[in-house]
Amino acid sequence: MATNDRPITTSSIRKKKETRTPITMVTAYDYPSAKLADEACADMILVGDSLGMVVLGYDSTIPVTMEDMLHHTKAVTRGAKRAFVVADLPFLSYHGTLEEAVKNAGRLMQEGLAKAVKMEGGRELAPIITRCVQAGIPVVGHIGLTPQSVHQLGGYKVQGRDLEAAQKLLDEALAIQEAGAFAIVLECVPEEVAGMIADKLDIAVIGIGAGVTCDGQVLVFHDLVGYASDITPKFVKRYANIGETIREAIETYNKEVEARSFPGPEHVFHASEETIKELYGEGVKQS
């Protein structure tokens, strides 16, 4: 359980960056997972559009809609009392006009009650980030491997391996910072490149598959605890295997139902003797 109930804010996150205190972020998609992450003192909870693959069964994040994101963000914010909740803007929800981008970002805050939004992309997002910040919407950037662009990138590949690509990542990160984002997610980037970017930025750099030199780390709830998560990327550490526990519990339940050993006497209710006589007649044997 949390020992400090004071809510995390953008100021808290900036302070952690300044003091080199690692930031913890967990990607969660519903009330129970958000509640558990919150009670475990995660600083931030990300309602990722990865919910498309993790809980909706798609093979990418691209089919995820604004309505999907709003539905899950509402559930997460009901479960998080202390953690700072960030919600992803889904594919094509911020690539049209500035007005449309701000409207969708605003919906995640006004309807979903998120504290900030996250968007994937680099320098081209600067006007959108600035406009959102001007409207009072905190923004987290996301560069490196950007799942919404997976087809353009040619698959889920490590980004920034050579000098030119590493410099481009730094330039993109600086542009996002200049536009007004208060943090940035760096995904699937060599540790040395991530460390260089974290050192040069004044805003928090939260890594996933980017090494220990970032200002913080993020993992998906289901990957972290082994909950029906079949694909385990190299950068994931599994801290538990609750999926196996759940599977065994359901198998045991199935067997007990088939054997009629569940429900047992302690799980059932009984009618009064008078009611039983009315239902079955005087000759029924009472249990």
Side-chain angles (χ1 to χ4, degrees), residues 41-68:
C41 297
D43 296 317
M44 304 174 76
I45 294 176
L46 173 63
V47 190
D49 60 355
S50 49
L51 66 87
M53 295 179 289
V54 179
V55 298
L56 298 182
Y58 297 129
D59 61 2
S60 75
T61 64
I62 292 173
V64 177
T65 66
M66 273 298 299
E67 296 311 313
D68 291 332

mmCIF file with all atom_site columns, all heavy atoms in Angstrom, residues 41-68:
data_model
loop_
_atom_site.group_PDB
_atom_site.id
_atom_site.type_symbol
_atom_site.label_atom_id
_atom_site.label_alt_id
_atom_site.label_comp_id
_atom_site.label_asym_id
_atom_site.label_entity_id
_atom_site.label_seq_id
_atom_site.pdbx_PDB_ins_code
_atom_site.Cartn_x
_atom_site.Cartn_y
_atom_site.Cartn_z
_atom_site.occupancy
_atom_site.B_iso_or_equiv
_atom_site.pdbx_formal_charge
_atom_site.auth_seq_id
_atom_site.auth_comp_id
_atom_site.auth_asym_id
_atom_site.auth_atom_id
_atom_site.pdbx_PDB_model_num
ATOM 1   N N   . CYS A 1 41 ? 2.401   2.086  -5.328  1.00 0.00 ? 41 CYS A N   1
ATOM 2   C CA  . CYS A 1 41 ? 3.169   3.337  -5.385  1.00 0.00 ? 41 CYS A CA  1
ATOM 3   C C   . CYS A 1 41 ? 3.825   3.625  -6.727  1.00 0.00 ? 41 CYS A C   1
ATOM 4   O O   . CYS A 1 41 ? 4.859   4.316  -6.777  1.00 0.00 ? 41 CYS A O   1
ATOM 5   C CB  . CYS A 1 41 ? 4.233   3.393  -4.296  1.00 0.00 ? 41 CYS A CB  1
ATOM 6   S SG  . CYS A 1 41 ? 3.585   3.381  -2.629  1.00 0.00 ? 41 CYS A SG  1
ATOM 7   N N   . ALA A 1 42 ? 3.279   3.128  -7.833  1.00 0.00 ? 42 ALA A N   1
ATOM 8   C CA  . ALA A 1 42 ? 3.776   3.552  -9.142  1.00 0.00 ? 42 ALA A CA  1
ATOM 9   C C   . ALA A 1 42 ? 3.564   5.057  -9.259  1.00 0.00 ? 42 ALA A C   1
ATOM 10  O O   . ALA A 1 42 ? 2.504   5.579  -8.882  1.00 0.00 ? 42 ALA A O   1
ATOM 11  C CB  . ALA A 1 42 ? 3.040   2.822  -10.256 1.00 0.00 ? 42 ALA A CB  1
ATOM 12  N N   . ASP A 1 43 ? 4.561   5.765  -9.773  1.00 0.00 ? 43 ASP A N   1
ATOM 13  C CA  . ASP A 1 43 ? 4.432   7.219  -9.926  1.00 0.00 ? 43 ASP A CA  1
ATOM 14  C C   . ASP A 1 43 ? 3.414   7.580  -10.998 1.00 0.00 ? 43 ASP A C   1
ATOM 15  O O   . ASP A 1 43 ? 2.626   8.508  -10.835 1.00 0.00 ? 43 ASP A O   1
ATOM 16  C CB  . ASP A 1 43 ? 5.781   7.838  -10.310 1.00 0.00 ? 43 ASP A CB  1
ATOM 17  C CG  . ASP A 1 43 ? 6.822   7.678  -9.224  1.00 0.00 ? 43 ASP A CG  1
ATOM 18  O OD1 . ASP A 1 43 ? 6.486   7.881  -8.047  1.00 0.00 ? 43 ASP A OD1 1
ATOM 19  O OD2 . ASP A 1 43 ? 7.976   7.353  -9.560  1.00 0.00 ? 43 ASP A OD2 1
ATOM 20  N N   . MET A 1 44 ? 3.466   6.855  -12.104 1.00 0.00 ? 44 MET A N   1
ATOM 21  C CA  . MET A 1 44 ? 2.621   7.172  -13.249 1.00 0.00 ? 44 MET A CA  1
ATOM 22  C C   . MET A 1 44 ? 1.946   5.903  -13.768 1.00 0.00 ? 44 MET A C   1
ATOM 23  O O   . MET A 1 44 ? 2.508   4.812  -13.679 1.00 0.00 ? 44 MET A O   1
ATOM 24  C CB  . MET A 1 44 ? 3.457   7.804  -14.375 1.00 0.00 ? 44 MET A CB  1
ATOM 25  C CG  . MET A 1 44 ? 4.234   9.041  -13.945 1.00 0.00 ? 44 MET A CG  1
ATOM 26  S SD  . MET A 1 44 ? 5.349   9.655  -15.253 1.00 0.00 ? 44 MET A SD  1
ATOM 27  C CE  . MET A 1 44 ? 4.166   10.441 -16.361 1.00 0.00 ? 44 MET A CE  1
ATOM 28  N N   . ILE A 1 45 ? 0.747   6.068  -14.299 1.00 0.00 ? 45 ILE A N   1
ATOM 29  C CA  . ILE A 1 45 ? 0.054   4.978  -14.977 1.00 0.00 ? 45 ILE A CA  1
ATOM 30  C C   . ILE A 1 45 ? -0.238  5.444  -16.392 1.00 0.00 ? 45 ILE A C   1
ATOM 31  O O   . ILE A 1 45 ? -0.805  6.524  -16.595 1.00 0.00 ? 45 ILE A O   1
ATOM 32  C CB  . ILE A 1 45 ? -1.249  4.590  -14.265 1.00 0.00 ? 45 ILE A CB  1
ATOM 33  C CG1 . ILE A 1 45 ? -0.949  3.991  -12.884 1.00 0.00 ? 45 ILE A CG1 1
ATOM 34  C CG2 . ILE A 1 45 ? -2.053  3.599  -15.105 1.00 0.00 ? 45 ILE A CG2 1
ATOM 35  C CD1 . ILE A 1 45 ? -2.179  3.661  -12.068 1.00 0.00 ? 45 ILE A CD1 1
ATOM 36  N N   . LEU A 1 46 ? 0.159   4.640  -17.358 1.00 0.00 ? 46 LEU A N   1
ATOM 37  C CA  . LEU A 1 46 ? -0.112  4.947  -18.763 1.00 0.00 ? 46 LEU A CA  1
ATOM 38  C C   . LEU A 1 46 ? -1.260  4.078  -19.256 1.00 0.00 ? 46 LEU A C   1
ATOM 39  O O   . LEU A 1 46 ? -1.192  2.851  -19.171 1.00 0.00 ? 46 LEU A O   1
ATOM 40  C CB  . LEU A 1 46 ? 1.133   4.688  -19.608 1.00 0.00 ? 46 LEU A CB  1
ATOM 41  C CG  . LEU A 1 46 ? 0.948   4.796  -21.126 1.00 0.00 ? 46 LEU A CG  1
ATOM 42  C CD1 . LEU A 1 46 ? 0.559   6.212  -21.531 1.00 0.00 ? 46 LEU A CD1 1
ATOM 43  C CD2 . LEU A 1 46 ? 2.201   4.347  -21.854 1.00 0.00 ? 46 LEU A CD2 1
ATOM 44  N N   . VAL A 1 47 ? -2.303  4.721  -19.759 1.00 0.00 ? 47 VAL A N   1
ATOM 45  C CA  . VAL A 1 47 ? -3.368  3.986  -20.440 1.00 0.00 ? 47 VAL A CA  1
ATOM 46  C C   . VAL A 1 47 ? -2.929  3.928  -21.899 1.00 0.00 ? 47 VAL A C   1
ATOM 47  O O   . VAL A 1 47 ? -3.183  4.841  -22.679 1.00 0.00 ? 47 VAL A O   1
ATOM 48  C CB  . VAL A 1 47 ? -4.734  4.676  -20.306 1.00 0.00 ? 47 VAL A CB  1
ATOM 49  C CG1 . VAL A 1 47 ? -5.840  3.745  -20.818 1.00 0.00 ? 47 VAL A CG1 1
ATOM 50  C CG2 . VAL A 1 47 ? -5.012  5.087  -18.869 1.00 0.00 ? 47 VAL A CG2 1
ATOM 51  N N   . GLY A 1 48 ? -2.202  2.880  -22.244 1.00 0.00 ? 48 GLY A N   1
ATOM 52  C CA  . GLY A 1 48 ? -1.606  2.795  -23.573 1.00 0.00 ? 48 GLY A CA  1
ATOM 53  C C   . GLY A 1 48 ? -2.570  2.281  -24.617 1.00 0.00 ? 48 GLY A C   1
ATOM 54  O O   . GLY A 1 48 ? -3.454  1.470  -24.329 1.00 0.00 ? 48 GLY A O   1
ATOM 55  N N   . ASP A 1 49 ? -2.373  2.744  -25.863 1.00 0.00 ? 49 ASP A N   1
ATOM 56  C CA  . ASP A 1 49 ? -3.178  2.183  -26.940 1.00 0.00 ? 49 ASP A CA  1
ATOM 57  C C   . ASP A 1 49 ? -2.739  0.749  -27.240 1.00 0.00 ? 49 ASP A C   1
ATOM 58  O O   . ASP A 1 49 ? -3.364  0.058  -28.045 1.00 0.00 ? 49 ASP A O   1
ATOM 59  C CB  . ASP A 1 49 ? -3.138  3.058  -28.189 1.00 0.00 ? 49 ASP A CB  1
ATOM 60  C CG  . ASP A 1 49 ? -1.734  3.252  -28.755 1.00 0.00 ? 49 ASP A CG  1
ATOM 61  O OD1 . ASP A 1 49 ? -0.756  2.786  -28.143 1.00 0.00 ? 49 ASP A OD1 1
ATOM 62  O OD2 . ASP A 1 49 ? -1.619  3.903  -29.822 1.00 0.00 ? 49 ASP A OD2 1
ATOM 63  N N   . SER A 1 50 ? -1.700  0.298  -26.544 1.00 0.00 ? 50 SER A N   1
ATOM 64  C CA  . SER A 1 50 ? -1.323  -1.119 -26.597 1.00 0.00 ? 50 SER A CA  1
ATOM 65  C C   . SER A 1 50 ? -2.437  -1.998 -26.070 1.00 0.00 ? 50 SER A C   1
ATOM 66  O O   . SER A 1 50 ? -2.399  -3.229 -26.229 1.00 0.00 ? 50 SER A O   1
ATOM 67  C CB  . SER A 1 50 ? -0.041  -1.360 -25.790 1.00 0.00 ? 50 SER A CB  1
ATOM 68  O OG  . SER A 1 50 ? -0.132  -0.783 -24.502 1.00 0.00 ? 50 SER A OG  1
ATOM 69  N N   . LEU A 1 51 ? -3.463  -1.403 -25.479 1.00 0.00 ? 51 LEU A N   1
ATOM 70  C CA  . LEU A 1 51 ? -4.641  -2.162 -25.060 1.00 0.00 ? 51 LEU A CA  1
ATOM 71  C C   . LEU A 1 51 ? -5.246  -2.885 -26.256 1.00 0.00 ? 51 LEU A C   1
ATOM 72  O O   . LEU A 1 51 ? -5.906  -3.915 -26.098 1.00 0.00 ? 51 LEU A O   1
ATOM 73  C CB  . LEU A 1 51 ? -5.673  -1.263 -24.381 1.00 0.00 ? 51 LEU A CB  1
ATOM 74  C CG  . LEU A 1 51 ? -6.371  -0.162 -25.217 1.00 0.00 ? 51 LEU A CG  1
ATOM 75  C CD1 . LEU A 1 51 ? -7.618  -0.684 -25.927 1.00 0.00 ? 51 LEU A CD1 1
ATOM 76  C CD2 . LEU A 1 51 ? -6.748  1.009  -24.310 1.00 0.00 ? 51 LEU A CD2 1
ATOM 77  N N   . GLY A 1 52 ? -5.014  -2.343 -27.454 1.00 0.00 ? 52 GLY A N   1
ATOM 78  C CA  . GLY A 1 52 ? -5.519  -3.011 -28.652 1.00 0.00 ? 52 GLY A CA  1
ATOM 79  C C   . GLY A 1 52 ? -5.021  -4.433 -28.766 1.00 0.00 ? 52 GLY A C   1
ATOM 80  O O   . GLY A 1 52 ? -5.776  -5.349 -29.118 1.00 0.00 ? 52 GLY A O   1
ATOM 81  N N   . MET A 1 53 ? -3.743  -4.637 -28.459 1.00 0.00 ? 53 MET A N   1
ATOM 82  C CA  . MET A 1 53 ? -3.154  -5.970 -28.528 1.00 0.00 ? 53 MET A CA  1
ATOM 83  C C   . MET A 1 53 ? -3.327  -6.740 -27.225 1.00 0.00 ? 53 MET A C   1
ATOM 84  O O   . MET A 1 53 ? -3.627  -7.936 -27.225 1.00 0.00 ? 53 MET A O   1
ATOM 85  C CB  . MET A 1 53 ? -1.667  -5.858 -28.869 1.00 0.00 ? 53 MET A CB  1
ATOM 86  C CG  . MET A 1 53 ? -1.409  -5.277 -30.254 1.00 0.00 ? 53 MET A CG  1
ATOM 87  S SD  . MET A 1 53 ? 0.345   -5.113 -30.641 1.00 0.00 ? 53 MET A SD  1
ATOM 88  C CE  . MET A 1 53 ? 0.812   -3.768 -29.579 1.00 0.00 ? 53 MET A CE  1
ATOM 89  N N   . VAL A 1 54 ? -3.159  -6.051 -26.097 1.00 0.00 ? 54 VAL A N   1
ATOM 90  C CA  . VAL A 1 54 ? -3.109  -6.731 -24.806 1.00 0.00 ? 54 VAL A CA  1
ATOM 91  C C   . VAL A 1 54 ? -4.488  -7.176 -24.324 1.00 0.00 ? 54 VAL A C   1
ATOM 92  O O   . VAL A 1 54 ? -4.644  -8.284 -23.807 1.00 0.00 ? 54 VAL A O   1
ATOM 93  C CB  . VAL A 1 54 ? -2.440  -5.835 -23.747 1.00 0.00 ? 54 VAL A CB  1
ATOM 94  C CG1 . VAL A 1 54 ? -2.402  -6.524 -22.396 1.00 0.00 ? 54 VAL A CG1 1
ATOM 95  C CG2 . VAL A 1 54 ? -1.019  -5.464 -24.174 1.00 0.00 ? 54 VAL A CG2 1
ATOM 96  N N   . VAL A 1 55 ? -5.506  -6.324 -24.490 1.00 0.00 ? 55 VAL A N   1
ATOM 97  C CA  . VAL A 1 55 ? -6.826  -6.690 -23.965 1.00 0.00 ? 55 VAL A CA  1
ATOM 98  C C   . VAL A 1 55 ? -7.925  -6.799 -25.020 1.00 0.00 ? 55 VAL A C   1
ATOM 99  O O   . VAL A 1 55 ? -8.989  -7.345 -24.738 1.00 0.00 ? 55 VAL A O   1
ATOM 100 C CB  . VAL A 1 55 ? -7.290  -5.706 -22.852 1.00 0.00 ? 55 VAL A CB  1
ATOM 101 C CG1 . VAL A 1 55 ? -6.352  -5.745 -21.674 1.00 0.00 ? 55 VAL A CG1 1
ATOM 102 C CG2 . VAL A 1 55 ? -7.429  -4.289 -23.374 1.00 0.00 ? 55 VAL A CG2 1
ATOM 103 N N   . LEU A 1 56 ? -7.683  -6.292 -26.224 1.00 0.00 ? 56 LEU A N   1
ATOM 104 C CA  . LEU A 1 56 ? -8.713  -6.380 -27.264 1.00 0.00 ? 56 LEU A CA  1
ATOM 105 C C   . LEU A 1 56 ? -8.392  -7.416 -28.336 1.00 0.00 ? 56 LEU A C   1
ATOM 106 O O   . LEU A 1 56 ? -9.245  -7.729 -29.164 1.00 0.00 ? 56 LEU A O   1
ATOM 107 C CB  . LEU A 1 56 ? -8.933  -5.009 -27.915 1.00 0.00 ? 56 LEU A CB  1
ATOM 108 C CG  . LEU A 1 56 ? -9.435  -3.894 -26.982 1.00 0.00 ? 56 LEU A CG  1
ATOM 109 C CD1 . LEU A 1 56 ? -9.660  -2.602 -27.768 1.00 0.00 ? 56 LEU A CD1 1
ATOM 110 C CD2 . LEU A 1 56 ? -10.719 -4.308 -26.270 1.00 0.00 ? 56 LEU A CD2 1
ATOM 111 N N   . GLY A 1 57 ? -7.157  -7.922 -28.352 1.00 0.00 ? 57 GLY A N   1
ATOM 112 C CA  . GLY A 1 57 ? -6.826  -9.012 -29.248 1.00 0.00 ? 57 GLY A CA  1
ATOM 113 C C   . GLY A 1 57 ? -6.435  -8.639 -30.660 1.00 0.00 ? 57 GLY A C   1
ATOM 114 O O   . GLY A 1 57 ? -6.336  -9.510 -31.534 1.00 0.00 ? 57 GLY A O   1
ATOM 115 N N   . TYR A 1 58 ? -6.195  -7.359 -30.942 1.00 0.00 ? 58 TYR A N   1
ATOM 116 C CA  . TYR A 1 58 ? -5.712  -6.963 -32.262 1.00 0.00 ? 58 TYR A CA  1
ATOM 117 C C   . TYR A 1 58 ? -4.234  -7.327 -32.409 1.00 0.00 ? 58 TYR A C   1
ATOM 118 O O   . TYR A 1 58 ? -3.552  -7.628 -31.418 1.00 0.00 ? 58 TYR A O   1
ATOM 119 C CB  . TYR A 1 58 ? -5.881  -5.450 -32.465 1.00 0.00 ? 58 TYR A CB  1
ATOM 120 C CG  . TYR A 1 58 ? -7.307  -4.949 -32.437 1.00 0.00 ? 58 TYR A CG  1
ATOM 121 C CD1 . TYR A 1 58 ? -7.671  -3.876 -31.612 1.00 0.00 ? 58 TYR A CD1 1
ATOM 122 C CD2 . TYR A 1 58 ? -8.288  -5.510 -33.253 1.00 0.00 ? 58 TYR A CD2 1
ATOM 123 C CE1 . TYR A 1 58 ? -8.972  -3.401 -31.593 1.00 0.00 ? 58 TYR A CE1 1
ATOM 124 C CE2 . TYR A 1 58 ? -9.594  -5.032 -33.237 1.00 0.00 ? 58 TYR A CE2 1
ATOM 125 C CZ  . TYR A 1 58 ? -9.930  -3.979 -32.403 1.00 0.00 ? 58 TYR A CZ  1
ATOM 126 O OH  . TYR A 1 58 ? -11.221 -3.499 -32.383 1.00 0.00 ? 58 TYR A OH  1
ATOM 127 N N   . ASP A 1 59 ? -3.717  -7.240 -33.632 1.00 0.00 ? 59 ASP A N   1
ATOM 128 C CA  . ASP A 1 59 ? -2.304  -7.531 -33.845 1.00 0.00 ? 59 ASP A CA  1
ATOM 129 C C   . ASP A 1 59 ? -1.441  -6.275 -33.902 1.00 0.00 ? 59 ASP A C   1
ATOM 130 O O   . ASP A 1 59 ? -0.231  -6.349 -34.133 1.00 0.00 ? 59 ASP A O   1
ATOM 131 C CB  . ASP A 1 59 ? -2.092  -8.372 -35.113 1.00 0.00 ? 59 ASP A CB  1
ATOM 132 C CG  . ASP A 1 59 ? -2.561  -7.671 -36.380 1.00 0.00 ? 59 ASP A CG  1
ATOM 133 O OD1 . ASP A 1 59 ? -3.016  -6.502 -36.293 1.00 0.00 ? 59 ASP A OD1 1
ATOM 134 O OD2 . ASP A 1 59 ? -2.472  -8.283 -37.459 1.00 0.00 ? 59 ASP A OD2 1
ATOM 135 N N   . SER A 1 60 ? -2.065  -5.108 -33.683 1.00 0.00 ? 60 SER A N   1
ATOM 136 C CA  . SER A 1 60 ? -1.318  -3.849 -33.602 1.00 0.00 ? 60 SER A CA  1
ATOM 137 C C   . SER A 1 60 ? -2.178  -2.838 -32.854 1.00 0.00 ? 60 SER A C   1
ATOM 138 O O   . SER A 1 60 ? -3.323  -3.122 -32.478 1.00 0.00 ? 60 SER A O   1
ATOM 139 C CB  . SER A 1 60 ? -0.982  -3.311 -35.002 1.00 0.00 ? 60 SER A CB  1
ATOM 140 O OG  . SER A 1 60 ? -2.128  -2.742 -35.623 1.00 0.00 ? 60 SER A OG  1
ATOM 141 N N   . THR A 1 61 ? -1.642  -1.637 -32.677 1.00 0.00 ? 61 THR A N   1
ATOM 142 C CA  . THR A 1 61 ? -2.394  -0.580 -31.992 1.00 0.00 ? 61 THR A CA  1
ATOM 143 C C   . THR A 1 61 ? -3.282  0.209  -32.953 1.00 0.00 ? 61 THR A C   1
ATOM 144 O O   . THR A 1 61 ? -4.113  1.008  -32.513 1.00 0.00 ? 61 THR A O   1
ATOM 145 C CB  . THR A 1 61 ? -1.433  0.415  -31.317 1.00 0.00 ? 61 THR A CB  1
ATOM 146 O OG1 . THR A 1 61 ? -0.658  1.082  -32.320 1.00 0.00 ? 61 THR A OG1 1
ATOM 147 C CG2 . THR A 1 61 ? -0.499  -0.284 -30.350 1.00 0.00 ? 61 THR A CG2 1
ATOM 148 N N   . ILE A 1 62 ? -3.124  -0.008 -34.236 1.00 0.00 ? 62 ILE A N   1
ATOM 149 C CA  . ILE A 1 62 ? -3.783  0.842  -35.239 1.00 0.00 ? 62 ILE A CA  1
ATOM 150 C C   . ILE A 1 62 ? -5.312  0.806  -35.187 1.00 0.00 ? 62 ILE A C   1
ATOM 151 O O   . ILE A 1 62 ? -5.960  1.841  -35.378 1.00 0.00 ? 62 ILE A O   1
ATOM 152 C CB  . ILE A 1 62 ? -3.248  0.494  -36.650 1.00 0.00 ? 62 ILE A CB  1
ATOM 153 C CG1 . ILE A 1 62 ? -1.778  0.925  -36.743 1.00 0.00 ? 62 ILE A CG1 1
ATOM 154 C CG2 . ILE A 1 62 ? -4.064  1.165  -37.750 1.00 0.00 ? 62 ILE A CG2 1
ATOM 155 C CD1 . ILE A 1 62 ? -1.061  0.492  -38.001 1.00 0.00 ? 62 ILE A CD1 1
ATOM 156 N N   . PRO A 1 63 ? -5.965  -0.338 -34.900 1.00 0.00 ? 63 PRO A N   1
ATOM 157 C CA  . PRO A 1 63 ? -7.436  -0.329 -34.865 1.00 0.00 ? 63 PRO A CA  1
ATOM 158 C C   . PRO A 1 63 ? -8.052  0.394  -33.663 1.00 0.00 ? 63 PRO A C   1
ATOM 159 O O   . PRO A 1 63 ? -9.269  0.603  -33.619 1.00 0.00 ? 63 PRO A O   1
ATOM 160 C CB  . PRO A 1 63 ? -7.788  -1.825 -34.814 1.00 0.00 ? 63 PRO A CB  1
ATOM 161 C CG  . PRO A 1 63 ? -6.574  -2.537 -35.291 1.00 0.00 ? 63 PRO A CG  1
ATOM 162 C CD  . PRO A 1 63 ? -5.432  -1.704 -34.818 1.00 0.00 ? 63 PRO A CD  1
ATOM 163 N N   . VAL A 1 64 ? -7.248  0.772  -32.682 1.00 0.00 ? 64 VAL A N   1
ATOM 164 C CA  . VAL A 1 64 ? -7.791  1.374  -31.455 1.00 0.00 ? 64 VAL A CA  1
ATOM 165 C C   . VAL A 1 64 ? -8.401  2.741  -31.755 1.00 0.00 ? 64 VAL A C   1
ATOM 166 O O   . VAL A 1 64 ? -7.803  3.576  -32.444 1.00 0.00 ? 64 VAL A O   1
ATOM 167 C CB  . VAL A 1 64 ? -6.693  1.497  -30.377 1.00 0.00 ? 64 VAL A CB  1
ATOM 168 C CG1 . VAL A 1 64 ? -7.223  2.196  -29.134 1.00 0.00 ? 64 VAL A CG1 1
ATOM 169 C CG2 . VAL A 1 64 ? -6.151  0.124  -30.029 1.00 0.00 ? 64 VAL A CG2 1
ATOM 170 N N   . THR A 1 65 ? -9.584  2.984  -31.214 1.00 0.00 ? 65 THR A N   1
ATOM 171 C CA  . THR A 1 65 ? -10.322 4.226  -31.473 1.00 0.00 ? 65 THR A CA  1
ATOM 172 C C   . THR A 1 65 ? -10.324 5.141  -30.252 1.00 0.00 ? 65 THR A C   1
ATOM 173 O O   . THR A 1 65 ? -9.956  4.735  -29.145 1.00 0.00 ? 65 THR A O   1
ATOM 174 C CB  . THR A 1 65 ? -11.785 3.902  -31.825 1.00 0.00 ? 65 THR A CB  1
ATOM 175 O OG1 . THR A 1 65 ? -12.422 3.334  -30.663 1.00 0.00 ? 65 THR A OG1 1
ATOM 176 C CG2 . THR A 1 65 ? -11.875 2.923  -32.985 1.00 0.00 ? 65 THR A CG2 1
ATOM 177 N N   . MET A 1 66 ? -10.787 6.357  -30.462 1.00 0.00 ? 66 MET A N   1
ATOM 178 C CA  . MET A 1 66 ? -10.954 7.285  -29.347 1.00 0.00 ? 66 MET A CA  1
ATOM 179 C C   . MET A 1 66 ? -11.928 6.733  -28.321 1.00 0.00 ? 66 MET A C   1
ATOM 180 O O   . MET A 1 66 ? -11.730 6.888  -27.112 1.00 0.00 ? 66 MET A O   1
ATOM 181 C CB  . MET A 1 66 ? -11.452 8.645  -29.849 1.00 0.00 ? 66 MET A CB  1
ATOM 182 C CG  . MET A 1 66 ? -10.374 9.617  -30.280 1.00 0.00 ? 66 MET A CG  1
ATOM 183 S SD  . MET A 1 66 ? -9.236  10.098 -28.948 1.00 0.00 ? 66 MET A SD  1
ATOM 184 C CE  . MET A 1 66 ? -10.354 10.876 -27.780 1.00 0.00 ? 66 MET A CE  1
ATOM 185 N N   . GLU A 1 67 ? -12.982 6.090  -28.789 1.00 0.00 ? 67 GLU A N   1
ATOM 186 C CA  . GLU A 1 67 ? -13.971 5.543  -27.856 1.00 0.00 ? 67 GLU A CA  1
ATOM 187 C C   . GLU A 1 67 ? -13.354 4.426  -27.011 1.00 0.00 ? 67 GLU A C   1
ATOM 188 O O   . GLU A 1 67 ? -13.660 4.309  -25.814 1.00 0.00 ? 67 GLU A O   1
ATOM 189 C CB  . GLU A 1 67 ? -15.203 5.031  -28.614 1.00 0.00 ? 67 GLU A CB  1
ATOM 190 C CG  . GLU A 1 67 ? -15.965 6.122  -29.352 1.00 0.00 ? 67 GLU A CG  1
ATOM 191 C CD  . GLU A 1 67 ? -16.267 7.337  -28.480 1.00 0.00 ? 67 GLU A CD  1
ATOM 192 O OE1 . GLU A 1 67 ? -16.741 7.144  -27.333 1.00 0.00 ? 67 GLU A OE1 1
ATOM 193 O OE2 . GLU A 1 67 ? -16.042 8.471  -28.932 1.00 0.00 ? 67 GLU A OE2 1
ATOM 194 N N   . ASP A 1 68 ? -12.497 3.613  -27.626 1.00 0.00 ? 68 ASP A N   1
ATOM 195 C CA  . ASP A 1 68 ? -11.777 2.590  -26.853 1.00 0.00 ? 68 ASP A CA  1
ATOM 196 C C   . ASP A 1 68 ? -10.938 3.249  -25.764 1.00 0.00 ? 68 ASP A C   1
ATOM 197 O O   . ASP A 1 68 ? -10.948 2.826  -24.598 1.00 0.00 ? 68 ASP A O   1
ATOM 198 C CB  . ASP A 1 68 ? -10.837 1.783  -27.761 1.00 0.00 ? 68 ASP A CB  1
ATOM 199 C CG  . ASP A 1 68 ? -11.561 0.884  -28.737 1.00 0.00 ? 68 ASP A CG  1
ATOM 200 O OD1 . ASP A 1 68 ? -12.687 0.452  -28.431 1.00 0.00 ? 68 ASP A OD1 1
ATOM 201 O OD2 . ASP A 1 68 ? -10.989 0.615  -29.815 1.00 0.00 ? 68 ASP A OD2 1
#
